Amino acid sequence: MISVIACGNLNRRDDGAGSAVLARLQAARSLLGRADLRLYDAATDGLAVLFQARDSEQLVLIDACRPQGQPGALYEVPGEQFISRREPPRDSHALRWDDALTIGQRMYGAAMPGQIRVFLIEALDLSLGLELSRPVARSVVQLAERLERELSGSGDRR
């Protein structure tokens, strides 16, 4: 099973980048031809990431990251870099997806995906609103097309 999980807040403009990528993948789902594909929008629910990732062989997480000077920049980071040795928050409302990965490794061990890839799209605008900024919208299309190629088996991981 391959799980693709989007995270973010659709009401905070560019923070909805992950959901926008996922929407494009859902629209192309029939073209991907995979019965072993789980697409899920976790929004801001870190616990949902934990439960949706469990029993997957591969996990692809998509989220926005804070502005750092290159709006729309796309970063691919191995998931292992987000698994922490620190104690995750005890308040489930403060739980983020990186906390969920840490908890999942501790609780479920081998039931968690062996391969985790995280795609982050650098935000330009995280204010209240529904539209993505232009550079983030371009990156959403690029990442969705890339993942469509990879998930259909007709492309490499570039």
Side-chain angles (χ1 to χ4, degrees), residues 1-5 34 36-39 49 52-61 76 79-80 101 105 110-119 147 150-153 157:
M1 175 74 65
I2 299 173
S3 292
V4 179
I5 302 176
R34 296 194 80 121
D36 66 339
L37 180 62
R38 179 186 306 154
L39 302 174
V49 172
Q52 291 297 321
R54 195 170 108 190
D55 297 325
S56 298
E57 296 167 14
Q58 297 178 42
L59 172 62
V60 175
L61 269 167
E76 181 178 357
E80 300 80 40
L101 294 178
Q105 288 294 327
M112 289 300 283
Q115 180 185 2
I116 301 171
R117 296 165 50 205
V118 177
F119 290 95
L147 291 173
E150 290 179 14
L151 294 169
S152 69
R157 290 178 49 180

Side-chain angles (χ1 to χ4, degrees), residues 10-152:
L10 285 169
N11 299 309
R12 290 272 181 192
R13 294 189 44 111
D14 290 343
D15 197 31
S19 296
V21 172
L22 195 76
R24 293 180 68 91
L25 292 176
Q26 287 170 328
R29 186 181 193 116
S30 63
L31 301 175
L32 299 176
R34 296 194 80 121
D36 66 339
L37 180 62
R38 179 186 306 154
L39 302 174
Y40 187 79
D41 191 340
T44 59
D45 185 358
L47 281 177
V49 172
L50 172 68
F51 297 122
Q52 291 297 321
R54 195 170 108 190
D55 297 325
S56 298
E57 296 167 14
Q58 297 178 42
L59 172 62
V60 175
L61 269 167
I62 309 163
D63 199 0
C65 63
R66 293 194 181 279
Q68 301 171 47
Q70 286 187 284
L74 178 62
Y75 306 99
E76 181 178 357
V77 185
E80 300 80 40
Q81 290 189 18
F82 293 99
I83 297 172
S84 174
R85 297 201 191 293
R86 71 174 171 76
E87 189 64 29
R90 295 190 190 280
D91 177 4
S92 63
H93 298 287
L95 200 71
R96 301 174 344 163
W97 60 258
D98 53 337
D99 298 318
L101 294 178
T102 299
I103 292 169
Q105 288 294 327
R106 291 179 189 177
M107 286 178 55
Y108 300 122
M112 289 300 283
Q115 180 185 2
I116 301 171
R117 296 165 50 205
V118 177
F119 290 95
L120 300 171
I121 298 175
E122 186 173 326
L124 172 65
D125 186 351
L126 296 172
S127 66
L128 289 173
L130 301 174
E131 290 186 29
L132 299 173
S133 65
R134 277 193 205 151
V136 170
R138 281 192 298 270
S139 293
V140 161
V141 171
Q142 290 171 351
L143 180 56
E145 289 174 350
R146 174 182 170 178
L147 291 173
E148 286 172 27
R149 284 190 307 274
E150 290 179 14
L151 294 169
S152 69

